[in-house]
Amino acid sequence: WRLGAGLSYMHVPSPSGSTADGSIPHPLVFDQFRTFSVSADGLEHKENIVHLFATWLMPVTEKVDLTFSAGPSIFNISQGFIRTVSFTEAPPFTTVNVDRIDIDSRDETAIGFNIGADATYSIGRVLGNMDLGAGANARYSWGKADMDLSAGDSISVKGGGFQIGGGVRVRF
């Protein structure tokens, strides 16, 4: 059989930070702004991905096989955002003091795709009819989740990317 099907699950945590830059109008001077910059740690980007794929096996030699795969991916993407920045100001109103930032998180599910290749080297038969081997694989996946923010705004958050791996192969 050269055709096959597969399913894989992947979890990608990625803690990160962000910086918010902004400007606030001067309360006494028309058309003059004061700028601020604030950093936020602990903003997380997490991906839970289920890859479904069809495979095509192509024997190259007696011991080497290539397998190509493609199919849909289901992404659940969680992303942290800076929601609000609270500040105070005092005369002479030349600076802005950031007091607090509020962090919010959004979760969305999106459909994307995956495409990959796997190379397997057969070491030999074990336990009767099982074939033991070693291999390497590469896969590219892509998905995009549109997340609604406050006040009707939205942002697109991308998921997936290029992955490589390797390991033991057992065929039976």
Side-chain angles (χ1 to χ4, degrees), residues 11-70:
H11 174 73
V12 181
S14 179
S16 64
S18 183
T19 302
D21 297 317
S23 62
I24 298 172
H26 195 287
L28 303 175
V29 181
F30 179 73
D31 207 23
Q32 182 178 342
F33 294 86
R34 285 113 1 104
T35 60
F36 69 89
S37 181
V38 61
S39 295
D41 292 327
L43 298 177
E44 267 194 325
H45 174 92
K46 291 188 284 186
E47 299 176 23
N48 291 296
I49 312 165
V50 174
H51 299 293
L52 305 168
F53 48 89
T55 63
W56 174 258
L57 175 69
M58 185 176 80
V60 177
T61 69
E62 190 174 300
K63 292 207 170 262
V64 177
D65 294 331
L66 292 179
T67 304
F68 301 97
S69 64

Side-chain angles (χ1 to χ4, degrees), residues 110-130:
I111 303 294
F113 71 90
N114 68 84
I115 187 167
D118 182 282
T120 300
Y121 176 78
S122 177
I123 296 170
R125 296 258 181 216
V126 293
L127 298 176
N129 64 344
M130 289 194 311

